[in-house]
Amino acid sequence: MLNAWRRSARSHEVLMYLIIIIAVVTSCHAWSPDNSQKVINEISKLRTIKFAGNATYPDHFIILNQDAHSILLGGRNHIYNLSVYDFSEIKDSRIEWQSSEAISEMCSVKGKSEDDCQNYIRIYVETEPGQHLICGTNSYKPCCRHYAHVNGKYTVVKEVEGIGVCPYNPEHNSTAVYSKGQMYSATVADFSGGDPLIYRQPQRTEYSDLKQLNAPNFVSSVPYGDFIFFFFRETAVEYINCGKVIYSRVARVCKDDKGGPHQFRNGWTTFLKTRLNCSVPGEYPFYFDEIQSTSEIIEGKYGTDLSSHIIYGILTTPSNAIGGSAICAYNMNDVLESFEGSFKHQDSINANWLPVSKDKVPEPRPGQCVRDSRLLQENHVNFIKTHPLMENAVPAMFGKPLLIRVNFHYRLTAVVVDSQVKTVNDEVFDVLYVGTDNGRVLKVVNIPTVNETAKTVVISENVILPNGAAVKQLKIAPGFGSVVVVGRDEVRLAKLNHCSAQRNCRECVHLQDPHCAWNTRLETCISLDEVRHNTKRDLIQDILRGDESKCRSPQDTRKMSPKIIVPNDIDNDIGSEIEEDDDDDSQDDPSVGEECEDSDDGNNINCAVKQKLVIYTAETLQISVIVAAVVSLLLGFIVGYIFSRRFHPPSQYPDTPFIEQRNHLEGLSGTQSNFLSRPKTINHVINSLPPPPKKDNLDASKDHNIANDGTLQKIKKTYI
Ligand SMILES: *[C@@H]1O[C@H](CO)[C@@H](O)[C@H](O)[C@H]1NC(C)=O
Ligand SMILES: *[C@@H]1O[C@H](CO)[C@@H](O)[C@H](O)[C@H]1NC(C)=O
Ligand SMILES: *[C@@H]1O[C@H](CO)[C@@H](O)[C@H](O)[C@H]1NC(C)=O
Ligand SMILES: *[C@@H]1O[C@H](CO)[C@@H](O)[C@H](O)[C@H]1NC(C)=O
Ligand SMILES: *[C@@H]1O[C@H](CO)[C@@H](O)[C@H](O)[C@H]1NC(C)=O
C-alpha cells in the first residue's frame, strides 16, 4: 500500500505543497514583528586610533568640549587638544596645571594616594572669546582658573576656589553646565563626599536635606527653555518599605531663580524633581531604575509629522541584580508636563507619600519661573522646600524602553546620538552609539513607526577598549560612523561604518543602517556621506524593514541564491548567517549551544548566537506546529484516499488509474504547483470513476513527467 502511494505521481504534488507551505511559513516568519536583535560582532578587528596621554598612570579622561575640528580632553594635570579627524595632538594648545606642592602634600597627609593627589581637570568653558574657565580636583582641593588665550599662549588671569563646582574625587559622578554667563553644577561640596548639592552661586540645594538630594549620582545637565535640567539617580525617599531603592530623577531649576526672601537668600525657590519611568509595561511593570547616561536634547521627528525635543537615557537594574540595561527616550514635553502635575507629600515619617490636593498649593504655583523670586511669600518658598518631589513620573516615549539588553557580561554605560540621519528617501532616523562597561560600543538605530511602536535595531556590537575597560563617555566625530570612545585611561577614535564590509545588496539592505545604501550602478554598499545628491536614484535602502526583496535585479538575484529553509535547518542557518557576517574571524566557530564565554579579546560571538536562538525558539515552535498540522492533514487525506481506493470496484488495469487521474489533473490545472487546483484534485479523485481515454493520457504523461524523476520509468513500463 505504501509502495503504491510512493509510486503515485501524486507524491510530487504532495511534496510540492509541503514545500510551498513551508516557504510561505518561513516568509511569514520574516514579516512578523521582529523582536530579535541584529548582531554583528566585529571583534576588535576594527582599526581605532588611540590617545593615552602619558600612559604611565591613570588619567581619568573626560571630554570637556568639542568643536567642529577638535576635542578638548581633560586628564591628569593636563588639558589635551586633539584633532577630531585623526586624533593628532595639537601640542601648542596643551594646558598644564599641576597642584602646588603644598596642596598635594596636604592631600597626602589627609590619607589620599599619590594618584588621588593630582589635579584632574573636570570642567572647561569658554566664557568669552579668548577667555577660558577651567576647574580641576586640585589634589582634593577643587579649584578654578580663568585663563586668557593670547598669541597662542594660555596665561592665568585669576584663580578661585572650586568647591561646589568641581568634585574632589576624579571618579565622582558630577556634572556642570554653563548657561547665560553662569555655571550650574551638581557635585559634592566636601572632602568626604557627604554633601551633595546642585549649585549656582550663591543658590544651592539645602545642606543634608534628604528630600532634595539623597546620595545622588549625577549624570548630566542641560539647559532647556527657562530651565536647567539635571539627570541623576538617588536613594528614593518616597520608597518607605524596608530596604533602600534607587530611582532615576530629572530635576530642574529656573535660570533666573534669584533665591528667596531673607533667610532663603541662598536656597533655590524653583528646585523640583520627579522620577523617570523606564519600565516594561505589564501588571507589574519591570523597572530599569538607575540612570547611567543621557544624550543631549535632540530635535527630531519620531513617527509623527510634528518635531519634538527628546533626550535618550541609559537606565539599568541595580548592580547587585541580573545585568539588565535599557534605552529609554523622554519627550521634553512630557518632562515639562510632569512638573505641572501634583506635588508629593508625606504627612509623617513612615506615612505613605500622597499627592497634595490642589487647594493646598499656594499661588502662584511654586516652581514657576517668576520675575524676582526674592519677592515671593515665605509660605510659598516653604512649600517648595518641603515639596520638591512631584507625584507623576515622566513616562518613557512609546511607554516602554526602545531597547533592552539582559546580559551576564555587560551593562550599558554611555550613549551618544548621531541625530536625524537622512536616508535616500528623505526619512530621518537617530543612530545611537551605546557604550558598555566592558569596552564595547553598540551601534543602534531607533526606528519609530507611524504607530508609535518603536523598533530598535542593533546594527553592530564592537569591542573598542581593551581589557574590558568601561566606556565612560562617547562623542560623535565627523564622518558617518566615527565615534570617540572615552575610557578611564585611554581615548579611541573608532569608525563604526560597516557599509564597505557588505558584499552584496542583500547584506547591505538587511543591515538597516541609515548610513549605508546599495549602489546598483557601482554594485557596492556605499556610505551615504560619500554620495553626491544626483546619484541617489541608484541607491537601495530600507531602514524600516531591511527588506531584501528590493534587491531583485538580475545580477543580485544570482548573488542572493534563494533557498528554501525547512524547519530543521533554521538553527543552522542562523549559525551560518553570523559566520558570514564575521568572516574575518575564521577562528571562531559559533557552534550552537557552546558556552557563552567572554574571552580576553572580548569575543562574545557565541552569546550572540545564543541570543538569536532563544528568540527563534518560539518562532520555530510556531512553525513546527503549523507544519505538524499540515502534515497530519496530508496524512489524513492520504489515509482517506487509500481507503477510498480500497473500497473501489477492482479495476481492470491494475496499475494505470493513478497515472490517468494524475494526468487528467495536470490537464486541468495547467501548472504543477497551482494551489487553487487542489480542492478540485480532491473532488476529482473521488468522483472520476471512469478513466478518460487512454491515448490522451499517454501524451500528457510523457510531456509532463519527463521533468520528474523516478516515475518516468514506471510510466513507460506501464505503457510499453
Ligand atoms: C610621563 O610623566 C612622567 C612623570 O610626570 C614624565 O617623567 C614623563 O616624561 C612623561 N612622559 C610623557 C611621554 O609625557
Ligand atoms: C584646539 O586646536 C584647534 C586647532 O588648532 C584650535 O582651533 C582650538 O582653538 C584649540 N582649542 C583650544 C581650547 O585651545
Ligand atoms: C559613578 O558611576 C559609576 C557608573 O554607574 C559607578 O560605577 C561609580 O561607583 C560611581 N562613582 C561613585 C563615586 O559613586
Ligand atoms: C511606568 O510606566 C508603566 C508603563 O508605561 C506604567 O504601567 C507604570 O504605572 C508607570 N509607573 C509609574 C511609577 O508611573
Ligand atoms: C499600524 O498598526 C496596524 C495594526 O497594528 C497595522 O494594520 C497598520 O498597517 C499600522 N500602520 C502603519 C502605518 O504602520
Side-chain angles (χ1 to χ4, degrees):
M1 194 136 315
L2 202 70
N3 205 27
W5 179 69
R6 210 186 285 135
R7 250 194 281 154
S8 153
R10 186 164 301 282
S11 65
H12 289 273
E13 242 164 25
V14 167
L15 229 139
M16 204 71 70
Y17 290 142
L18 192 64
I19 289 171
I20 289 163
I21 288 159
I22 290 164
V24 167
V25 166
T26 1
S27 50
C28 273
H29 151 253
W31 299 329
S32 70
D34 179 19
N35 300 317
S36 66
Q37 291 140 359
K38 192 181 320 253
V39 180
I40 301 167
N41 283 291
E42 300 206 353
I43 307 301
S44 237
K45 291 283 154 64
L46 287 162
R47 250 193 251 134
T48 57
I49 308 172
K50 170 172 129 176
F51 179 83
N54 186 330
T56 50
Y57 41 59
D59 270 293
H60 296 290
F61 281 128
I62 181 174
I63 293 178
L64 300 169
N65 191 46
Q66 181 178 13
D67 60 28
H69 307 291
S70 60
I71 61 169
L72 280 189
L73 194 60
R76 175 162 160 154
N77 306 322
H78 289 95
I79 291 182
Y80 302 97
N81 187 350
L82 305 182
S83 156
V84 84
Y85 303 105
D86 58 5
F87 252 39
S88 59
E89 191 193 345
I90 298 134
K91 292 228 168 69
D92 293 341
S93 52
R94 186 195 277 196
I95 300 174
E96 186 175 354
W97 173 14
Q98 309 239 15
S99 302
S100 70
E101 235 165 73
I103 286 172
S104 54
E105 231 164 74
M106 183 60 81
C107 174
S108 307
V109 168
K110 286 180 182 166
K112 293 293 172 188
S113 69
E114 197 198 324
D115 280 341
D116 286 334
C117 298
Q118 304 289 334
N119 188 18
Y120 296 96
I121 314 294
R122 303 291 86 175
I123 292 170
Y124 162 93
V125 284
E126 187 162 18
T127 53
E128 281 165 48
Q131 301 291 315
H132 307 259
L133 174 63
I134 294 167
C135 305
T137 61
N138 190 31
S139 304
Y140 273 76
K141 197 173 188 308
C143 186
C144 294
R145 274 180 177 179
H146 292 267
Y147 281 89
H149 193 199
V150 273
N151 304 330
K153 284 248 180 251
Y154 285 95
T155 49
V156 181
V157 177
K158 67 172 178 182
E159 202 168 290
V160 295
E161 200 180 57
I163 292 174
V165 177
C166 182
Y168 288 69
N169 176 347
E171 295 212 69
H172 189 269
N173 296 305
S174 301
T175 172
V177 63
Y178 190 78
S179 173
K180 285 194 175 171
Q182 297 198 285
M183 179 75 81
Y184 298 79
S185 56
T187 184
V188 286
D190 70 329
F191 185 87
S192 62
D195 176 21
L197 80 171
I198 289 177
Y199 176 63
R200 183 211 58 199
Q201 209 179 17
Q203 274 75 46
R204 61 158 291 172
T205 47
E206 299 298 317
Y207 177 74
S208 92
D209 178 350
L210 299 187
K211 274 187 193 160
Q212 287 199 332
L213 293 172
N214 189 355
N217 270 277
F218 298 104
V219 162
S220 66
S221 45
V222 283
Y224 182 73
D226 294 335
F227 306 97
I228 306 287
F229 288 89
F230 296 89
F231 291 83
F232 59 100
R233 57 183 192 268
E234 65 169 355
T235 307
V237 69
E238 71 266 40
Y239 183 83
I240 55 159
N241 301 337
C242 56
K244 163 182 116 156
V245 162
I246 291 177
Y247 282 171
S248 295
R249 304 282 197 207
V250 54
R252 75 172 198 196
V253 294
C254 277
K255 285 177 186 169
D256 53 7
D257 190 337
K258 297 184 174 70
H262 316 302
Q263 77 268 31
F264 298 115
R265 203 164 63 242
N266 294 340
W268 295 106
T269 63
T270 54
F271 176 81
L272 290 178
K273 65 179 180 183
T274 191
R275 184 179 177 186
L276 292 169
N277 186 349
C278 179
S279 59
V280 183
E283 201 175 342
Y284 300 99
F286 182 85
Y287 288 95
F288 296 89
D289 264 334
E290 304 199 0
I291 194 165
Q292 304 291 339
S293 168
T294 73
S295 67
E296 311 275 293
I297 292 175
I298 289 153
E299 183 176 1
K301 289 185 178 169
Y302 302 93
T304 58
D305 282 339
L306 296 173
S307 110
S308 40
H309 289 96
I310 71 161
I311 189 163
Y312 290 94
I314 301 287
L315 295 96
T316 65
T317 55
S319 53
N320 57 4
I322 288 175
S325 318
I327 304 176
C328 276
Y330 299 95
N331 192 317
M332 288 310 286
N333 283 338
D334 292 337
V335 174
L336 291 173
E337 198 171 300
S338 59
F339 286 108
E340 299 304 317
S342 304
F343 297 90
K344 232 178 168 64
H345 176 75
Q346 189 186 35
D347 270 331
S348 63
I349 216 153
N350 294 332
N352 266 325
W353 286 76
L354 297 167
V356 177
S357 64
K358 275 220 170 79
D359 52 313
K360 293 205 175 124
V361 177
E363 282 291 324
R365 189 188 156 88
Q368 305 299 108
C369 299
V370 293
R371 171 92 63 70
D372 190 346
S373 59
R374 287 169 299 194
L375 304 177
L376 289 169
Q377 301 295 311
E378 281 196 20
N379 72 329
H380 179 110
V381 179
N382 249 326
F383 181 90
I384 198 160
K385 252 186 68 182
T386 48
H387 299 86
L389 184 60
M390 307 307 298
E391 169 72 12
N392 299 330
V394 183
M397 228 172 140
F398 311 121
K400 59 178 189 191
L402 300 176
L403 178 75
I404 296 171
R405 282 257 144 155
V406 178
N407 197 302
F408 291 108
H409 302 283
Y410 62 70
R411 277 161 210 272
L412 304 181
T413 54
V415 62
V416 72
V417 182
D418 187 0
S419 62
Q420 303 290 289
V421 177
K422 213 171 194 177
T423 66
V424 174
N425 312 321
D426 289 335
E427 302 157 312
V428 282
F429 297 98
D430 287 345
V431 175
L432 282 68
Y433 300 94
V434 185
T436 73
D437 60 2
N438 69 347
R440 284 149 204 268
V441 175
L442 316 188
K443 185 176 184 180
V444 172
V445 55
N446 176 17
I447 304 177
T449 62
V450 181
N451 281 354
E452 292 211 336
T453 47
K455 187 183 76 173
T456 305
V457 174
V458 177
I459 298 168
S460 69
E461 182 172 320
N462 313 275
V463 177
I464 307 291
L465 297 179
N467 310 321
V471 174
K472 301 265 185 195
Q473 203 185 3
L474 293 164
K475 292 280 177 190
I476 301 286
F480 279 179
S482 287
V483 58
V484 180
V485 184
V486 182
R488 192 190 72 162
D489 298 324
E490 63 172 57
V491 185
R492 283 180 191 253
L493 179 63
K495 186 99 176 159
L496 305 185
N497 186 318
H498 311 299
C499 306
S500 62
Q502 312 308 315
R503 289 159 304 179
N504 56 43
C505 181
R506 185 186 67 90
E507 287 179 3
C508 187
V509 173
H510 185 67
L511 199 63
Q512 287 176 274
D513 187 337
H515 290 158
C516 305
W518 181 254
N519 186 320
T520 50
R521 209 164 30 79
L522 304 175
E523 292 205 8
T524 47
C525 191
I526 53 143
S527 180
L528 282 180
D529 56 347
E530 290 156 14
V531 198
R532 268 171 268 108
H533 288 281
N534 53 10
T535 58
K536 276 199 174 177
R537 64 196 159 80
D538 298 326
L539 301 176
I540 301 177
Q541 211 183 22
D542 185 13
I543 309 306
L544 281 176
R545 278 167 292 271
D547 184 0
E548 303 144 10
S549 66
K550 301 201 168 174
C551 293
R552 296 268 158 73
S553 68
Q555 62 272 62
D556 290 321
T557 35
R558 178 168 40 79
K559 282 180 192 164
M560 277 171 59
S561 61
K563 52 188 168 186
I564 294 161
I565 302 164
V566 290
N568 282 344
D569 281 352
I570 281 178
D571 288 354
N572 298 338
D573 194 64
I574 293 159
S576 64
E577 195 176 302
I578 283 176
E579 231 164 17
E580 259 171 44
D581 289 330
D582 199 44
D583 59 346
D584 293 348
D585 296 275
S586 42
Q587 78 272 19
D588 297 309
D589 178 20
S591 51
V592 175
E594 213 175 287
E595 271 303 298
C596 203
E597 77 231 320
D598 208 358
S599 55
D600 273 355
D601 62 348
N603 191 334
N604 209 6
I605 189 157
N606 297 325
C607 298
V609 174
K610 269 202 169 173
Q611 280 170 0
K612 277 215 163 185
L613 279 178
V614 172
I615 289 148
Y616 273 88
T617 319
E619 289 159 7
T620 316
L621 187 71
Q622 189 188 334
I623 292 165
S624 8
V625 168
I626 293 168
V627 169
V630 167
V631 166
S632 47
L633 253 172
L634 287 170
L635 269 179
F637 162 67
I638 289 156
V639 169
Y641 175 74
I642 286 162
F643 267 82
S644 78
R645 289 290 313 153
R646 255 243 154 128
F647 302 113
H648 229 245
S651 166
Q652 305 103 298
Y653 313 103
D655 269 336
T656 43
F658 287 98
I659 302 149
E660 283 163 356
Q661 278 160 9
R662 178 185 162 76
N663 293 337
H664 193 80
L665 282 173
E666 300 306 9
L668 277 175
S669 64
T671 57
Q672 291 183 51
S673 57
N674 193 338
F675 235 136
L676 295 173
S677 68
R678 202 174 160 212
K680 282 184 195 158
T681 311
I682 295 163
N683 279 341
H684 196 82
V685 170
I686 296 162
N687 296 335
S688 71
L689 295 182
K694 257 180 170 182
K695 204 175 171 247
D696 294 333
N697 295 336
L698 184 61
D699 292 345
S701 87
K702 266 184 182 166
D703 274 2
H704 198 82
N705 284 311
I706 280 164
N708 299 330
D709 55 280
T711 10
L712 183 61
Q713 285 83 1
K714 279 161 202 153
I715 293 162
K716 274 185 182 159
K717 257 185 230 158
T718 319
Y719 285 97
I720 289 165

